[in-house]
Amino acid sequence: MSKITTLPLGFANALLVRDKGAILVDTGINANKKIYEELFRELDFNPRNINLIVVTHGHADHFANANELKEITGAPVLCHKEAVYALQTAGNSAIVPRNELGKSVFEIIKKNLPRSTKKVNPDIIVDSSFDLHPYGVAGKVVYTPGHTDCSLSIILESGDAIVGDMLVPSFFTGEPCVAYFANNEKALFASLQMVLQQASIFYGGHGGPFTKAEVLDLL
Ligand SMILES: [Zn+2]
């Protein structure tokens, strides 16, 4: 059965999924090779056991330092086809405020958007579902557009899901929220309904885990 460990790395989390094999989901942002190696040592975990690095979407706080992680783990980097440009240019996919909270947060972060320090070439590019069993993890990657047009989520047979920024703590209060940035609100809620039908615990790129009851309360 998969076990998820949240690695808090500054503003964003990396999530280590351990099963028969292991994968890493996102990279965190305030990190470097030494910090990653120390974290893995504290967990008594050999990073060479990571078989795949999944980038949930093309916002830099989710793929910063992917090059360092590729070096440490030897694992390929997977992203959605619409995220390739952001990764290859060390840029950001569109950040579109969805509501008043999103507008307020964007005013604060717009002058200092998270940046990846290095470009990264993804090794595996997907446009829909991707089976994780060959990587030793009982689960799949699914396409969950809405927050961005390149958003991926991971649904595990354990009932856990990793949903990138589809669910986030409020920037101001820490309370669970549906993404306050979205380039397609209708798609965002459709994606959320889809993962709700397939999982009961939801890990995010900045907070959580959130329970199904907490998420249903938001809808
Ligand atoms: Zn994002």
Side-chain angles (χ1 to χ4, degrees):
M1 195 65 88
S2 305
K3 179 174 180 281
I4 299 176
T5 306
T6 299
L7 309 177
L9 291 159
F11 177 59
N13 300 327
L15 296 137
L16 177 64
V17 182
R18 283 177 278 185
D19 198 327
K20 285 192 187 102
I23 64 168
L24 190 72
V25 181
D26 289 339
T27 60
I29 183 156
N30 294 350
N32 54 41
K33 204 172 165 191
K34 199 167 155 235
I35 290 172
Y36 289 125
E37 283 172 344
E38 270 170 23
L39 269 176
F40 291 129
R41 207 173 301 125
E42 279 168 23
L43 291 172
D44 197 22
F45 174 77
N46 180 350
R48 301 302 290 187
N49 291 331
I50 290 175
N51 298 323
L52 182 68
I53 299 164
V54 178
V55 172
T56 56
H57 61 290
H59 288 157
D61 46 330
H62 297 260
F63 65 84
N65 317 304
N67 278 312
E68 281 85 346
L69 279 166
K70 265 174 101 163
E71 258 175 54
I72 297 166
T73 64
V77 170
L78 177 149
C79 72
H80 186 265
K81 64 179 181 182
E82 297 296 337
V84 172
Y85 183 76
L87 270 66
Q88 285 182 337
T89 58
N92 266 302
S93 299
I95 302 172
V96 184
R98 179 176 74 81
N99 53 19
E100 290 305 315
L101 176 57
K103 283 182 202 159
S104 308
V105 176
F106 191 68
E107 280 305 307
I108 293 168
I109 67 166
K110 70 180 181 188
K111 288 199 188 81
N112 198 13
L113 288 179
R115 289 278 170 205
S116 176
T117 48
K118 282 185 207 144
K119 301 167 184 176
V120 59
N121 257 325
D123 305 285
I124 302 172
I125 296 163
V126 300
D127 63 0
S128 56
S129 289
F130 185 85
D131 183 16
L132 292 171
H133 286 87
Y135 297 85
V137 170
K140 61 187 173 183
V141 175
V142 291
Y143 182 41
T144 49
H147 172 63
T148 63
D149 59 6
C150 57
S151 291
L152 299 173
S153 296
I154 288 82
I155 295 177
L156 301 169
E157 288 170 13
S158 60
D160 296 327
I162 300 171
V163 297
D165 285 351
M166 198 148 55
L167 295 167
V168 284
S170 160
F171 194 81
F172 300 107
T173 65
E175 285 172 20
C177 296
V178 177
Y180 39 75
F181 296 136
N183 71 339
N184 185 333
E185 190 172 38
K186 197 172 162 209
L188 170 68
F189 281 93
S191 294
L192 201 48
Q193 291 290 358
M194 190 257 279
V195 296
L196 267 169
Q197 282 166 17
Q198 300 186 56
S200 48
I201 300 283
F202 303 89
Y203 289 75
H206 301 279
F210 308 108
T211 64
K212 195 168 199 163
E214 279 176 309
V215 180
L216 286 169
D217 265 358
L218 301 174
L219 300 178

